[in-house]
Amino acid sequence: DSSDAFGGAISLSDSSLVVGAHQNDEGGVFDTGSAYLFTCQRSIRTLVSPHEEAAGRFGVSVVGVNDSTGDTIPDIFVGAY
């Protein structure tokens, strides 16, 4: 949907791309937001807030980092209001 603000936040890290869509109406709730994870293997995962709320705007900021936890798996962080 053109009003989802897809691409309002973008982060590229190693082999993954994270794209925020902070105005997405997830589950019919206004502007809960979401983020999308794309990998080199062409897989796509939709990420939603574990605490969906109206105007929560999950995905307003995104960042991918190589490994912040020491488990050798790249990590992503998604911001919300």
Side-chain angles (χ1 to χ4, degrees):
D1 185 317
S2 63
S3 65
D4 288 348
F6 181 86
I10 298 174
S11 178
L12 179 63
S13 175
D14 249 356
S15 61
S16 62
L17 171 69
V18 185
V19 179
H22 66 274
Q23 292 179 345
N24 184 37
D25 297 338
E26 190 63 38
V29 181
F30 178 73
D31 284 355
T32 54
S34 60
Y36 299 88
L37 174 63
F38 300 87
T39 67
C40 287
Q41 293 80 22
R42 298 182 191 262
S43 65
I44 302 171
R45 293 189 69 188
T46 301
L47 310 171
V48 296
S49 173
H51 307 287
E52 291 181 2
E53 60 184 69
R57 298 189 186 243
F58 185 80
V60 71
S61 59
V62 296
V63 65
V65 295
N66 291 333
D67 180 21
S68 66
T69 59
D71 61 3
T72 70
I73 299 171
D75 301 306
I76 61 170
F77 299 93
V78 180
Y81 283 178

